[in-house]
Amino acid sequence: MEQRGHPSWLKTLQWLVLCFVFLFRRGCLGQIRYSISEETEDGAVVGNVAKDLGVDVRTMKERQFRIVSGSSESPFRVNENNGVLHVNGKIDREQVCERSSVCLINLKTVLENPLEIHYVEVEIIDINDHAPTFLESEKRLEITESAQRGARFQLQPAHDPDGGINSVQLYKLSDNDHFRLEVKDRGKDSKIPILVLQKPLDRESSPAYKLILTAIDGGKPPKSGTVNIIVDVLDVNDNAPLFTEDVYTVTLEENAPIGTTVIQVNASDVDEGLNGEVIYSFGNGVNSKLLELFDLNPVSGEITVKGHIDFEENDIYEVDIQASDKATSPLTTDKTVTIKIVDINDNTPEIEVTSFSRAIQEDSRPGTTVALISVTDLDSGVNGKVFCSIKGDLPFKIMPSLKHNMYALVTSSLLDREAVSQYDVPLTATDSGNPPLSSKKTITVMVSDVNDNSPEFSLNPYTFYVAENNVPGEPMFSITASDRDANENAIIRYQICRQCEEESKYTSFLNINAENGEVYALKSFDYETVKTFQFHVLASDDGKPPRESNVTVQVYVLDQNDNTPVILYPVSSNGSYEGTEELARNVNAGHFVTKVRAYDRDVGYNGWLLYSMHQMTDHTLFGLERYTGQIRTLRAFTETDESEHKLVILVKDNGNISLSATATLTIKLVEPKEAFAASDVQGPASTGEDNDVTFYLIITLGSVSALFIISIIVLIVMQCSKSPDYGSKYLQDTNYDGTLCHSIQYRSGDKRYMLVGPRMSIGSTIAPGSNANTLMLPDRRRPSGEPKAPNADWRYSASLRAGMQSSVHMEESSVMQGAQGVLVQNWPTVSSAADGEGGEVSPPVGAGVDSNSWHFRYGPQGPQHLKPGEMPPEAFIIPGSPAIISIRQGQDGDDKGDFITFGKKEEAKKKKKKKKEKKDKREKGKDDDD
């Protein structure tokens, strides 16, 4: 089988080689090429493509023999039946192959099944179908008569669309004596005609020349085109214009109206036509400023005013005028016109501050230079002489300088910035013209600050009221100071003076904001510890050197209800407020059982204690006095009553938010014999339980007694050391023995007091009409009838005040309205009534405190206003002594006497004495106030 298949493969290979050789042979023979002339008619036969390619005509249609072209239509078509190539439309070589020497059209033919591609070239042969043409039918040239021989003038070439020999080959110029023609060959069938002047022109003999230029191509027969050339001979301008005058000079006043004629110039030219017509203009050297001032008529040569003429700007102008003809190449002539400006007084003086100190210190001495002033006037002569002056009542004056029109502005008196910080100085400058002109200028002179004022406080001293228990770190009040200076000299910084006197005790916990003066405390105040204090605040400015001032700040601490009542009895051994009392069953109604004792460290209403039954087993057995805390029986006991009763007593103060404490008291009912025995047995036991309370009470009473005895001794020594020089109105009785063993003398402010004991023998020392046990002393130290403030230097100790709070009944009259709307609370302080007031002290009705409780009734002038820390005389109490203080005043304002009386029954005696005094007054016709 391999031998049988081998000849078949060899035969196929031979066939392929033969086909390749055939195709290669056809390609080596060259492409098919045809040639036809342009403008051939449509459908003309070009050649038989099928025959030339060796294609079977019978299979051409089946194999779709065709010409493949691009997007445009092919200029040829092929017949599928016979393979003949025909012209498809008229062919213009100049459109297909513009300016190409050889015009070839390549065609691509295609046969399918199998695919064959053949290329056919068709050459389009040019024919002379176009004549040369020029762009213009007539061409005009202008040549001056002064043109030199050999001058060349290039002409526009002719255009011939044909190519090769059919294009323009020759130019011819018509016959003439002045011009000849040259042709410049640029290649690619491009030839440029050039007109050459070979003889000078004379415009006067022949103003124009007419020439004909002919272009001829190389066709057979040749074709040609012509253009008419007209040469205009231009005249030569050989004469320049001439001015009629050699020099032009004129004068002109400044400020001349616009449009004023200054001068008119005139020039002429002997040439003809445009060469003889003259126009005028400013010379090239004239600056723009002059062109703004003057205007020139180009035809008439008249110079007029165009802008503002100012002598001060320029007193003379030199204007260059140019006269020229209208020739193409004009000739010109220059002339200078001199214009002199005449001055008039039209400028006001000008004030210029050459050196100015805008700010001058207020401590400058008189004669200090503030500014250097230069006064100028642009006018000349007398019109430019200027005088400067200043008007108004100002601390400044004008001083002339050695230099002309120079002045100095100096101070004439002392300055004070705090009075006037700014001066507007009006300056006036007047010239010597006729009429004179003047100008004014105001310069502002600032007075700079000097640190010559110390800070000033709005108040001195400051008084502030601060409630106790204030929040630490929060502002309490602020101190305000001002400084009349300015800028840094007025920046005030505050500080607390911690070295002033002995204030470190209080200033150590105070601080102040250095910028706004807000004062705040580093801890809370306690009224029970400190009631008032003062300190100093320093205010200093930032001047150099700084100035400072200080102010005293008085601070009063206002009491707040921050202390609960402390119960002294009953108190058990473990510290609780509990106690037991035994009471016989046979006691009657109103029997005193016991007394609840309590005190409050607060003062005023905050320390006024009220007692009430909070809880009890039988409401009909016991009663509690509201103000004293005394417990009494309301009825007699019966056999049915329980033997033990529990009482819960509520003790509360009268603060806005009252604080309270409770005590529990157990009362046991016993038979009379048992009660007597129990009192003997339980006495030591109860004494043991109350050892602590008794110990503190003993210490308190001992301290008070010691202070009282020392005060008596000091007062006796002081009284004995002075000579008893009393007037005849007082102490005239010879029976007065002068015994002072039971008396106390003391003074408070302008008042003198004497305390007389119960056993003192007063004898005949009693003034007529006074109480029997009252000693009258005159006030020899008061020089006038003006009242003076009471002395508030003496205070009760805390222990003494605690002891008296339980028994003192403070009524509403003890609270007064103080200055600045502040509630002033009275606390125990030794003082006396001011002059012009009368008062009387008596125990309060229904207080239940016997003569230990008292109150003050005001006289005719109403309540007195006191500062915090001071007390009216009615607040003076000596605990434990039945004292009643009475102050009387006569009609004439003189005190008849200050006295203190003793005795538990003094209330009844005083009523009787009042009746007796009224009777004596009616008899004597006097009107004494109680």
Side-chain angles (χ1 to χ4, degrees), residues 578-682:
E578 297 179 355
T580 303
E581 291 286 343
E582 291 186 351
L583 183 64
R585 282 183 174 272
N586 60 351
V587 297
N588 298 324
H591 178 76
F592 176 79
V593 179
T594 186
K595 180 178 181 180
V596 178
R597 295 179 178 84
Y599 75 95
D600 195 322
R601 296 184 63 192
D602 296 322
V603 297
Y605 278 114
N606 296 330
W608 181 13
L609 300 181
L610 299 177
Y611 302 86
S612 62
M613 285 289 186
H614 183 66
Q615 183 180 354
M616 59 189 305
T617 54
D618 192 345
H619 293 276
T620 63
L621 286 179
F622 302 99
L624 176 64
E625 292 189 3
R626 179 176 178 82
Y627 300 105
T628 63
Q630 291 182 359
I631 301 176
R632 296 180 182 273
T633 59
L634 299 178
R635 63 177 176 82
F637 295 101
T638 62
E639 293 182 356
T640 59
D641 293 330
E642 296 180 0
S643 60
E644 183 174 325
H645 296 273
K646 183 178 179 181
L647 306 180
V648 179
I649 295 92
L650 176 66
V651 183
K652 66 177 182 179
D653 55 30
N654 276 272
N656 291 333
I657 301 177
S658 61
L659 303 177
S660 62
T662 59
T664 303
L665 181 64
T666 302
I667 300 177
K668 296 182 179 180
L669 301 181
V670 296
E671 297 301 327
K673 295 182 179 181
E674 296 178 359
F676 178 77
S679 63
D680 293 339
V681 175
Q682 294 178 359

Side-chain angles (χ1 to χ4, degrees), residues 61 114 153 200 251 279 340 376 718 729 776 816 877 884:
K61 191 171 183 178
F153 304 94
T251 59
I279 57 175
K340 296 181 179 181
T376 58
M718 293 176 60
K729 185 178 179 181
M776 307 300 296
M816 305 178 212
I877 305 172
I884 298 176

Side-chain angles (χ1 to χ4, degrees), residues 26 32 34 47-58 60 65 78-85 109 111 120:
R26 293 295 302 266
I32 299 175
Y34 303 101
N48 194 328
V49 178
K51 181 177 179 182
D52 294 336
L53 292 177
V55 179
D56 189 359
V57 176
R58 293 171 297 179
M60 287 180 60
F65 181 69
V78 64
N79 192 328
E80 295 179 352
N81 297 323
N82 54 18
V84 176
L85 183 65
T109 61
L111 289 171
V120 177

Side-chain angles (χ1 to χ4, degrees), residues 93 118 214 233 291 301 371 380 536-537 549 577 622 632 656 796:
R93 180 183 180 280
H118 302 278
T214 304
V233 180
L291 295 178
S380 61
H536 289 81
V537 173
S549 59
Y577 300 147
F622 302 99
R632 296 180 182 273
N656 291 333
Y796 283 114

Side-chain angles (χ1 to χ4, degrees), residues 198-228:
Q198 61 182 1
K199 184 179 180 181
L201 301 178
D202 186 5
R203 174 188 169 285
E204 286 71 25
S205 60
S206 179
Y209 296 89
K210 294 182 179 180
L211 306 176
I212 297 175
L213 178 63
T214 304
I216 303 172
D217 60 17
K220 293 182 180 180
K223 293 184 177 182
S224 64
T226 60
V227 60
N228 295 323

Side-chain angles (χ1 to χ4, degrees), residues 273-541:
L274 296 177
N275 295 334
E277 294 183 10
V278 179
I279 57 175
Y280 304 92
S281 63
F282 289 108
N284 296 328
V286 177
N287 56 32
S288 59
K289 180 63 177 177
L290 194 143
L291 295 178
E292 295 176 0
L293 298 178
F294 301 101
D295 194 11
L296 177 62
N297 191 317
V299 177
S300 63
E302 185 181 39
I303 300 175
T304 57
V305 176
K306 180 181 178 182
H308 176 65
I309 306 300
D310 192 357
F311 173 84
E312 289 69 33
E313 293 183 4
N314 198 351
D315 59 349
I316 188 170
Y317 296 94
E318 292 183 352
V319 183
D320 293 333
I321 303 299
Q322 188 178 77
S324 61
D325 53 28
K326 296 182 179 181
T328 305
S329 299
L331 297 178
T332 60
T333 301
D334 297 329
K335 185 66 69 173
T336 299
V337 178
T338 302
I339 303 174
K340 296 181 179 181
I341 309 300
V342 180
D343 180 40
I344 61 174
N345 189 23
D346 62 337
N347 290 280
T348 57
E350 294 182 359
I351 302 174
E352 180 182 2
V353 180
T354 58
S355 178
F356 176 46
S357 299
R358 184 171 294 275
I360 182 172
Q361 290 189 348
E362 59 179 321
D363 60 348
S364 300
R365 296 181 179 180
T368 302
T369 300
V370 178
L372 294 179
I373 302 169
S374 174
V375 181
T376 58
D377 194 325
L378 297 178
D379 294 327
S380 61
V382 178
N383 297 332
K385 190 175 182 180
V386 183
F387 300 94
C388 187
S389 62
I390 184 174
K391 296 182 180 180
D393 186 12
L394 298 174
F396 301 96
K397 61 182 179 179
I398 291 292
M399 297 295 292
S401 176
L402 296 177
K403 190 176 180 180
H404 180 64
N405 290 344
M406 288 294 295
Y407 298 89
L409 178 65
V410 299
T411 58
S412 60
S413 61
L414 295 176
L415 304 177
D416 185 6
R417 191 205 66 84
E418 286 70 33
V420 180
S421 61
Q422 175 180 321
Y423 291 94
D424 293 329
V425 182
L427 302 175
T428 302
T430 306
D431 61 21
S432 300
N434 187 17
L437 299 177
S438 63
S439 62
K440 296 181 180 180
K441 185 173 186 179
T442 300
I443 61 175
T444 301
V445 179
M446 306 296 295
V447 181
S448 62
D449 185 50
V450 175
N451 193 20
D452 56 349
N453 291 279
S454 299
E456 296 178 359
F457 291 93
S458 57
L459 295 174
N460 192 1
Y462 277 93
T463 301
F464 296 101
Y465 299 90
V466 179
E468 64 172 335
N469 302 323
N470 58 296
V471 179
E474 287 190 359
M476 301 182 298
F477 50 83
S478 62
I479 308 297
T480 304
S482 61
D483 198 321
R484 296 179 63 193
D485 295 323
N487 300 328
E488 66 275 0
N489 295 330
I491 298 176
I492 300 177
R493 301 191 182 277
Y494 304 89
Q495 61 177 335
I496 295 177
C497 181
R498 306 188 187 276
Q499 291 79 26
C500 299
E501 300 177 1
E502 298 178 356
E503 298 176 355
S504 59
K505 177 180 178 181
Y506 303 106
T507 58
S508 59
F509 55 82
L510 294 177
N511 207 343
I512 189 171
N513 190 315
E515 296 181 357
N516 56 24
E518 291 184 348
V519 179
Y520 53 92
L522 302 180
K523 68 175 184 179
S524 299
F525 293 111
D526 186 7
Y527 173 81
E528 289 71 31
T529 304
V530 56
K531 298 177 178 57
T532 180
F533 63 90
Q534 71 177 18
F535 61 95
H536 289 81
V537 173
L538 293 179
S540 60
D541 54 32

